[in-house]
Amino acid sequence: MKYMILLYGSGEGGPQPGSPEFGQMMAGYQAFNDRLDADGIDWAGEALEDVSAATSITRRSGKVETMDGPFAETKEQLGGYYIVDVPDLDTALRYAAMIPAVDYGTIEVRPVMDVGPMLDMAE
């Protein structure tokens, strides 16, 4: 089953770029990635640019509108993600607990929905 692991942080809670702590944190991410590979886990993941680089899009009454930044104001921002294909939620949670962001932010683990059967019904 696939799970999306969402990494949230305040931007101020974690180590700052250029600091020794930041280097240690990045080494922790590399170690986590290496662990996934060593365990044979099918995975993907990336860091995201700051929320200030985001563009939100909506369509209301047939009109598409865009706006800079996030649609909703929030204290924590989505900073990155992993998608892992593991047997169950307990395994996904075990891996999520190894991610350095758990020490200064919030990690959300959410099952990825298989929409294939729904698409088949639409035909």
Side-chain angles (χ1 to χ4, degrees):
M1 171 136 200
K2 289 184 181 175
Y3 291 87
M4 181 166 248
I5 301 172
L6 303 163
L7 314 179
Y8 293 94
S10 66
E12 299 166 3
Q16 298 303 305
S19 70
E21 294 80 13
F22 186 81
Q24 291 171 350
M25 178 188 71
M26 295 309 292
Y29 278 103
Q30 187 59 56
F32 177 69
N33 296 346
D34 293 344
R35 172 70 182 267
L36 291 172
D37 289 337
D39 290 351
I41 302 298
D42 184 21
W43 69 278
E46 296 291 342
L48 300 174
E49 293 287 344
D50 188 76
V51 71
S52 64
T55 302
S56 297
I57 182 171
T58 61
R59 180 173 33 227
R60 301 293 183 264
S61 302
K63 182 180 177 189
V64 174
E65 297 181 6
T66 62
M67 67 182 105
D68 293 338
F71 180 72
E73 292 296 322
T74 176
K75 290 182 181 180
E76 288 191 318
Q77 301 173 12
L78 180 61
Y81 68 92
Y82 284 91
I83 298 175
V84 296
D85 193 349
V86 295
D88 53 41
L89 176 60
D90 288 339
T91 305
L93 293 172
R94 183 170 52 83
Y95 281 107
M98 297 177 196
I99 299 172
V102 75
D103 294 326
Y104 59 85
T106 301
I107 295 181
E108 177 182 352
V109 178
R110 190 184 303 185
V112 174
M113 183 184 297
D114 179 5
V115 297
M118 290 180 238
L119 293 175
D120 292 340
M121 292 180 359
E123 294 177 349

Coordinates of all heavy atoms in Angstrom, one line a residue, residues 7-50:
L7 N 5.7 16.4 5.3 CA 6.6 17.0 6.3 C 6.2 18.5 6.5 O 6.3 19.3 5.6 CB 8.0 16.9 5.9 CG 8.5 15.5 5.4 CD1 9.9 15.6 4.9 CD2 8.2 14.5 6.4
Y8 N 5.8 18.9 7.7 CA 5.4 20.2 8.0 C 6.3 20.9 9.0 O 6.8 20.2 9.9 CB 4.0 20.3 8.6 CG 2.9 19.9 7.7 CD1 2.4 18.6 7.6 CD2 2.3 20.8 6.8 CE1 1.4 18.2 6.8 CE2 1.3 20.4 6.0 CZ 0.8 19.1 5.9 OH -0.2 18.7 5.1
G9 N 6.6 22.1 8.8 CA 7.4 22.9 9.8 C 7.0 24.3 9.7 O 6.4 24.8 8.8
S10 N 7.5 25.1 10.7 CA 7.2 26.5 10.8 C 8.2 27.3 10.1 O 8.0 28.5 9.9 CB 7.2 26.9 12.3 OG 8.5 26.8 12.9
G11 N 9.3 26.8 9.6 CA 10.3 27.5 8.9 C 11.3 28.1 9.9 O 12.4 28.4 9.6
E12 N 10.9 28.2 11.2 CA 11.8 28.8 12.2 C 12.2 27.7 13.2 O 13.1 27.9 14.0 CB 11.1 29.9 12.9 CG 10.7 31.1 12.0 CD 9.7 32.0 12.6 OE1 9.4 31.9 13.8 OE2 9.3 33.0 12.0
G13 N 11.5 26.6 13.2 CA 11.7 25.6 14.2 C 12.9 24.7 14.0 O 13.4 24.1 14.9
G14 N 13.3 24.6 12.7 CA 14.4 23.7 12.4 C 15.7 24.4 12.2 O 15.8 25.6 12.3
P15 N 16.8 23.6 12.0 CA 18.1 24.2 11.8 C 18.1 25.1 10.6 O 17.4 24.9 9.6 CB 19.0 23.0 11.6 CG 18.2 21.8 12.2 CD 16.8 22.2 12.0
Q16 N 18.9 26.2 10.7 CA 18.9 27.2 9.6 C 20.1 26.8 8.6 O 21.1 26.4 9.1 CB 19.1 28.6 10.2 CG 18.0 29.0 11.1 CD 16.6 29.0 10.3 OE1 16.5 29.6 9.3 NE2 15.7 28.3 10.9
P17 N 19.8 27.0 7.3 CA 20.9 26.7 6.3 C 22.2 27.4 6.7 O 22.2 28.5 7.2 CB 20.3 27.3 5.0 CG 18.8 27.2 5.2 CD 18.6 27.5 6.7
G18 N 23.3 26.7 6.5 CA 24.6 27.2 6.8 C 25.1 26.9 8.2 O 26.3 27.0 8.4
S19 N 24.2 26.4 9.0 CA 24.6 26.1 10.4 C 25.1 24.6 10.4 O 24.7 23.8 9.6 CB 23.5 26.3 11.4 OG 22.5 25.3 11.2
P20 N 26.0 24.3 11.4 CA 26.4 22.9 11.5 C 25.2 21.9 11.7 O 25.1 20.8 11.2 CB 27.3 22.9 12.7 CG 27.8 24.3 12.9 CD 26.6 25.1 12.3
E21 N 24.2 22.4 12.5 CA 23.0 21.6 12.7 C 22.2 21.3 11.4 O 21.7 20.2 11.3 CB 22.0 22.3 13.7 CG 22.6 22.5 15.1 CD 23.6 23.7 15.2 OE1 23.7 24.5 14.3 OE2 24.3 23.7 16.2
F22 N 22.2 22.3 10.5 CA 21.6 22.0 9.2 C 22.3 20.9 8.5 O 21.6 20.0 7.9 CB 21.5 23.3 8.4 CG 20.8 23.2 7.1 CD1 19.4 23.3 7.1 CD2 21.4 23.0 5.9 CE1 18.6 23.2 6.0 CE2 20.7 22.9 4.7 CZ 19.3 23.0 4.8
G23 N 23.6 21.0 8.5 CA 24.4 19.9 7.8 C 24.1 18.5 8.4 O 23.9 17.5 7.7
Q24 N 24.0 18.5 9.7 CA 23.6 17.2 10.4 C 22.2 16.8 10.0 O 22.0 15.6 9.8 CB 23.7 17.4 11.9 CG 25.1 17.6 12.4 CD 25.2 18.0 13.9 OE1 24.2 18.3 14.5 NE2 26.4 18.0 14.4
M25 N 21.3 17.7 9.9 CA 19.9 17.4 9.6 C 19.9 16.8 8.1 O 19.3 15.8 7.9 CB 19.0 18.6 9.6 CG 17.6 18.3 9.2 SD 16.6 19.8 9.1 CE 17.3 20.5 7.6
M26 N 20.6 17.4 7.2 CA 20.6 16.9 5.8 C 21.3 15.6 5.7 O 20.9 14.7 5.0 CB 21.3 18.0 4.9 CG 20.6 19.3 4.8 SD 18.8 19.1 4.4 CE 19.0 18.5 2.7
A27 N 22.3 15.3 6.5 CA 22.9 14.0 6.6 C 21.9 13.0 7.1 O 21.9 11.8 6.7 CB 24.2 14.0 7.5
G28 N 21.0 13.4 8.0 CA 20.0 12.5 8.5 C 19.0 12.2 7.4 O 18.5 11.0 7.3
Y29 N 18.7 13.1 6.5 CA 17.8 12.8 5.4 C 18.5 11.8 4.4 O 17.8 10.9 3.9 CB 17.4 14.1 4.7 CG 16.2 14.8 5.3 CD1 16.5 16.0 6.1 CD2 14.9 14.4 5.2 CE1 15.4 16.6 6.7 CE2 13.9 15.0 5.8 CZ 14.1 16.2 6.5 OH 13.1 16.8 7.1
Q30 N 19.8 12.1 4.2 CA 20.5 11.1 3.3 C 20.5 9.7 3.9 O 20.3 8.7 3.2 CB 21.9 11.6 3.0 CG 22.6 10.8 2.0 CD 21.9 10.8 0.6 OE1 21.6 11.8 0.1 NE2 21.6 9.6 0.1
A31 N 20.7 9.7 5.2 CA 20.7 8.3 5.9 C 19.4 7.7 5.8 O 19.3 6.5 5.6 CB 21.2 8.5 7.3
F32 N 18.3 8.5 5.9 CA 16.9 7.9 5.8 C 16.7 7.4 4.3 O 16.2 6.3 4.2 CB 15.9 9.0 6.1 CG 14.5 8.5 5.9 CD1 14.0 7.5 6.8 CD2 13.7 9.0 4.9 CE1 12.7 7.1 6.6 CE2 12.4 8.6 4.8 CZ 11.9 7.6 5.6
N33 N 17.1 8.2 3.3 CA 17.0 7.8 2.0 C 17.7 6.5 1.7 O 17.2 5.5 1.1 CB 17.4 8.9 1.0 CG 16.6 10.1 1.1 OD1 15.5 10.1 1.7 ND2 17.2 11.2 0.5
D34 N 19.0 6.4 2.2 CA 19.8 5.2 2.1 C 19.1 4.0 2.8 O 19.2 2.9 2.3 CB 21.2 5.4 2.7 CG 22.0 6.4 1.9 OD1 21.6 6.8 0.7 OD2 23.0 6.9 2.4
R35 N 18.5 4.3 3.9 CA 17.8 3.2 4.6 C 16.6 2.6 3.8 O 16.4 1.4 3.7 CB 17.3 3.7 6.0 CG 16.4 2.8 6.8 CD 17.2 1.6 7.3 NE 16.4 0.6 8.0 CZ 16.2 0.6 9.3 NH1 16.8 1.5 10.1 NH2 15.5 -0.3 9.9
L36 N 15.8 3.5 3.2 CA 14.7 3.1 2.4 C 15.3 2.2 1.2 O 14.7 1.1 0.9 CB 14.0 4.3 1.8 CG 13.2 5.1 2.8 CD1 12.6 6.4 2.1 CD2 12.0 4.3 3.4
D37 N 16.4 2.7 0.6 CA 17.0 1.9 -0.5 C 17.4 0.5 0.0 O 17.2 -0.5 -0.6 CB 18.1 2.6 -1.1 CG 17.7 3.8 -2.0 OD1 16.5 3.9 -2.4 OD2 18.5 4.8 -2.2
A38 N 18.2 0.5 1.1 CA 18.7 -0.7 1.7 C 17.6 -1.7 2.0 O 17.8 -2.9 1.9 CB 19.6 -0.4 2.9
D39 N 16.5 -1.2 2.5 CA 15.3 -2.0 2.9 C 14.5 -2.5 1.7 O 13.5 -3.2 1.8 CB 14.5 -1.3 3.9 CG 15.1 -1.2 5.3 OD1 16.2 -1.8 5.5 OD2 14.6 -0.5 6.1
G40 N 14.8 -2.0 0.5 CA 14.1 -2.3 -0.7 C 12.7 -1.7 -0.8 O 11.8 -2.2 -1.5
I41 N 12.6 -0.5 -0.2 CA 11.3 0.2 -0.2 C 11.2 1.0 -1.5 O 12.1 1.7 -1.9 CB 11.1 1.1 1.0 CG1 11.3 0.3 2.3 CG2 9.9 1.9 0.9 CD1 10.2 -0.7 2.5
D42 N 10.1 0.9 -2.2 CA 9.8 1.7 -3.4 C 9.4 3.1 -2.9 O 8.4 3.1 -2.1 CB 8.7 1.1 -4.2 CG 8.5 1.8 -5.5 OD1 9.3 2.6 -6.0 OD2 7.4 1.6 -6.1
W43 N 10.1 4.1 -3.2 CA 9.8 5.4 -2.6 C 10.1 6.6 -3.6 O 10.9 6.4 -4.6 CB 10.6 5.6 -1.3 CG 12.1 5.8 -1.5 CD1 13.0 4.8 -1.6 CD2 12.8 7.0 -1.5 NE1 14.2 5.3 -1.7 CE2 14.1 6.7 -1.7 CE3 12.4 8.4 -1.5 CZ2 15.1 7.7 -1.8 CZ3 13.4 9.3 -1.6 CH2 14.7 9.0 -1.7
A44 N 9.6 7.7 -3.3 CA 9.9 9.0 -4.0 C 9.7 10.0 -3.0 O 9.0 9.9 -2.0 CB 8.9 9.2 -5.2
G45 N 10.4 11.2 -3.2 CA 10.3 12.3 -2.2 C 11.1 13.4 -2.7 O 12.1 13.3 -3.4
E46 N 10.7 14.6 -2.2 CA 11.3 15.8 -2.6 C 11.1 16.9 -1.5 O 10.1 16.8 -0.8 CB 10.8 16.4 -3.9 CG 11.1 15.6 -5.1 CD 12.6 15.5 -5.5 OE1 13.4 16.3 -5.1 OE2 13.0 14.5 -6.2
A47 N 12.0 17.8 -1.4 CA 11.7 19.0 -0.6 C 11.0 20.0 -1.5 O 11.1 20.0 -2.7 CB 13.1 19.6 -0.2
L48 N 10.2 20.9 -0.9 CA 9.5 21.9 -1.6 C 10.1 23.3 -1.3 O 10.6 23.6 -0.3 CB 8.0 21.9 -1.2 CG 7.2 20.6 -1.4 CD1 5.9 20.7 -0.8 CD2 7.2 20.3 -2.9
E49 N 10.0 24.2 -2.3 CA 10.4 25.5 -2.1 C 9.5 26.2 -1.1 O 8.4 25.7 -0.8 CB 10.2 26.3 -3.5 CG 11.2 25.9 -4.5 CD 12.6 26.4 -4.3 OE1 12.8 27.3 -3.4 OE2 13.5 25.8 -4.9
D50 N 9.9 27.3 -0.6 CA 9.1 28.0 0.5 C 7.7 28.3 -0.1 O 7.5 28.6 -1.2 CB 9.8 29.3 0.8 CG 9.2 30.0 2.0 OD1 9.4 29.5 3.2 OD2 8.4 31.0 1.8

